[in-house]
Amino acid sequence: MSASLAIARPKIAPFYPPRRTLMGPGPSDVYPSVLAAGAKPTLGHLDPLFVGMMDEVKTLLQYAFQTRNEMTLAVSAPGSAGMEACFVNLVEPGEKVIVCRNGVFGERMRQNVERIGAVAVLVDNEWGKCVDVSAVEAALKANPDAKFLAFVHAETSTGARSDAQALCALAKRSGCLTIVDAVTSLGGIELRVDDWGIDAIYSGSQKCLSCVPGLSPLSFSPAAVAKLKARTTPVQSWFLDQTLVMGYWSNATGAKRSYHHTAPVNALYALHESLRLLADEGLENAWARHAAMHELLRDGLEKLGIQFVVDAEYRLPQLNAVHIPAGVDDAAVRAQLLNDYNLEIGAGLGALAGKAWRIGLMGYGARRENVALLMNALTNVLKA
């Protein structure tokens, strides 16, 4: 007789999540048709029909990024992996990187650089402020041997937008490649990879694209690809080594797709649909919609006496960081919004922890009914 199982057989009911309204820093509300797309029958990741859909995802990403970069794809992991993919593929040990740090995600860039064994030269700015272009110019002049300039376009921890066009122009004049975090900016505010001269850029599926979490759009310029191919040391990460992935995402006529990993097939269905919706709406229309919903939210919050963390000129319409009113219990308010209204807003991070709320108006969530729900709920909770 065989021995009995040491671990008892669990009896767990199916999981049925409530329908929340997600107005935090991400994930955002997912379009209904995107959720439906993810439930379609799974194909093999080398099935010709799936490969054809991948080509469409690539075309749609090139539109969203406004780039003709051949190396434009979706990393099979969230935005943090997209960030790491950019750094481990392009930066080699000992190389110098100017890192702009004005929030949590600039700090994560620094950590990536130092884990590689490269040298991070920091340009620090106050939380809630944009990256100071003149300070970056000074750092580039003081470090003529720098190979890269890395910065966050839309800092999710503070709601501040930096001038990507001006920063990339500085880098070009100094002979540096740029690595840009567009996790919160893609689809929400103006972003023009080719026109601005961005060399490496990454984003996330769960923010203004309103797709399911777990994918990271990425694009490398020809100069970035040349740097990758000229490496003298192996890429630190096997899974994120883009030289191994190129053959899977290549849509060259007649090219045989190389196997690298089993792609997240159903998640890519969802990304295809979210990007298709963005193209149907039109990028400039999507940017304008986010701006309009931000103005509506701003007017309502100001009537409640709630002030923004970021100056108007540099605010992100899709990620609104606001000061918590004096005497208000941060966690209690967020818990009541969640429990009584099924509404989620975000807490502050880092230097803003306990001092700010982060209110997202991203993608499908940037709608009048969401702003109205939040204003009604927040007004009632603060009165209570």
Side-chain angles (χ1 to χ4, degrees):
M1 180 182 294
S2 61
S4 60
L5 293 173
I7 305 298
R9 178 160 58 114
K11 295 181 180 179
I12 298 175
F15 177 64
Y16 296 104
R19 186 169 293 279
R20 307 274 201 208
T21 299
L22 302 179
M23 297 185 71
S28 63
D29 282 343
V30 178
Y31 288 101
S33 66
V34 171
L35 288 174
K40 290 177 180 176
T42 303
L43 292 174
H45 61 283
L46 294 174
D47 186 301
L49 292 176
F50 179 69
V51 167
M53 190 213 70
M54 287 173 61
D55 290 345
E56 293 181 346
V57 169
K58 181 172 180 174
T59 298
L60 290 163
L61 281 174
Q62 287 171 324
Y63 171 71
F65 277 128
Q66 285 294 282
T67 184
R68 293 181 176 85
N69 289 343
E70 173 61 25
M71 191 171 171
T72 300
L73 51 88
V75 175
S76 300
S80 294
M83 170 173 57
E84 188 164 346
C86 286
F87 283 96
V88 298
N89 279 274
L90 297 177
V91 182
E92 295 193 69
E95 291 184 329
K96 188 177 287 187
V97 184
I98 308 292
V99 178
C100 304
R101 185 171 62 176
N102 62 333
V104 164
F105 297 96
E107 164 60 15
R108 290 188 183 180
M109 284 182 155
R110 180 197 67 79
Q111 292 178 26
N112 271 265
V113 169
E114 295 190 349
R115 281 171 181 262
I116 291 167
V119 178
V121 176
L122 291 173
V123 176
D124 274 323
N125 291 101
E126 184 182 342
W127 282 52
K129 303 293 185 183
C130 63
V131 173
D132 185 335
V133 175
S134 61
V136 172
E137 183 174 22
L140 288 166
K141 286 180 179 177
N143 296 274
D145 56 338
K147 300 289 187 184
F148 300 91
L149 171 65
F151 64 90
V152 179
H153 183 210
E155 179 52 76
T156 316
S157 62
T158 66
R161 174 188 58 81
S162 291
D163 190 339
Q165 186 174 10
L167 291 168
C168 288
L170 274 180
K172 280 284 181 286
R173 290 200 294 271
S174 300
C176 285
L177 295 179
T178 47
I179 299 176
V180 179
D181 179 322
V183 169
T184 299
S185 56
L186 183 64
I189 54 173
E190 184 179 15
L191 175 61
R192 302 181 188 274
V193 168
D194 285 0
D195 287 351
W196 296 353
I198 295 171
D199 291 300
I201 189 165
Y202 58 91
S203 187
S205 55
Q206 78 281 13
K207 305 278 189 173
C208 295
L209 298 183
S210 282
C211 183
V212 295
L215 293 169
S216 179
L218 175 148
S219 188
F220 280 9
S221 71
V225 173
K227 175 70 168 71
L228 170 58
K229 290 181 175 179
R231 288 183 66 100
T232 58
T233 58
V235 174
Q236 279 188 319
S237 168
W238 181 89
F239 181 71
L240 296 175
D241 184 345
Q242 296 305 295
T243 62
L244 304 177
V245 178
M246 285 180 187
Y248 184 50
W249 278 92
S250 172
N251 59 0
T253 303
K256 182 176 174 13
R257 301 302 171 110
S258 61
Y259 167 71
H260 178 259
H261 65 279
T262 301
V265 172
N266 293 67
L268 285 167
Y269 294 166
L271 180 61
H272 179 278
E273 175 63 9
S274 71
L275 291 168
R276 191 191 66 78
L277 292 172
L278 178 61
D280 278 357
E281 181 178 10
L283 270 176
E284 292 183 344
N285 293 330
W287 299 338
R289 173 170 56 86
H290 283 85
M293 292 305 100
H294 161 75
E295 290 169 5
L296 195 64
L297 175 69
R298 176 203 62 201
D299 293 346
L301 290 173
E302 288 180 350
K303 287 177 182 176
L304 291 177
I306 294 175
Q307 302 299 313
F308 282 79
V309 171
V310 181
D311 293 339
E313 185 179 359
Y314 301 107
R315 282 178 200 160
L316 293 173
Q318 68 272 44
L319 196 287
N320 299 268
V322 297
H323 293 290
I324 298 171
V328 171
D329 186 318
D330 167 26
V333 168
R334 287 187 290 105
Q336 193 170 350
L337 289 173
L338 194 67
N339 295 330
D340 294 354
Y341 296 91
N342 270 322
L343 173 62
E344 178 184 276
I345 64 171
L349 285 180
L352 295 178
K355 301 176 182 177
W357 290 319
R358 292 179 297 153
I359 301 170
L361 289 171
M362 299 181 188
Y364 183 55
R367 292 178 289 149
R368 285 184 176 273
E369 53 264 48
N370 279 13
V371 176
L373 170 64
L374 173 66
M375 293 315 307
N376 177 64
L378 195 56
T379 299
N380 291 340
V381 169
L382 291 177
K383 282 182 179 177

